[in-house]
Amino acid sequence: MKSNIHPAYDYVVFRDRSSNTAFLTRSTLAAKAASLPSIEWKDGNTYPLVDVEVSSYSHPFYTGRNVVLDTAGQVQKFNRRYGRGD
């Protein structure tokens, strides 16, 4: 394997802004640590901080709050238009 071609891979804190939760994981975003804000984590160490809008803490697929919306009978309209009747 070639050396010096892989980005830095270290610990980063991701903070979900919509659910106000955070988690520590490893990421290649650690290479941009100098340009990122930092946060003191529960273990007392300081890590780079990345704010995200959606994570598994707030995404409807992972939280089980996904809702199928049928706005103005779009499914029925599709079925009528393309001949898929009951």
Side-chain angles (χ1 to χ4, degrees):
M1 188 160 50
K2 293 183 180 180
S3 61
N4 300 327
I5 63 167
H6 301 288
Y9 186 70
D10 205 1
Y11 288 100
V12 176
V13 174
F14 286 92
R15 181 171 55 192
D16 186 339
R17 296 178 60 176
S18 59
S19 68
N20 203 21
T21 56
F23 55 94
L24 177 67
T25 187
R26 294 182 64 173
S27 172
T28 57
L29 286 174
K32 297 181 179 182
S35 64
L36 295 173
S38 60
I39 188 171
E40 186 172 334
W41 192 243
K42 300 169 189 172
D43 62 3
N45 294 327
T46 302
Y47 299 104
L49 175 66
V50 177
D51 284 322
V52 293
E53 295 295 325
V54 178
S55 73
S56 60
Y57 289 107
S58 63
H59 193 280
F61 179 79
Y62 296 103
T63 61
R65 290 183 282 158
N66 53 345
V67 178
V68 177
L69 297 175
D70 182 22
T71 309
Q74 294 298 316
V75 173
Q76 289 81 9
K77 185 176 173 183
F78 176 85
N79 288 336
R80 277 194 311 265
R81 180 178 292 162
Y82 295 105
R84 296 188 180 144
D86 295 304

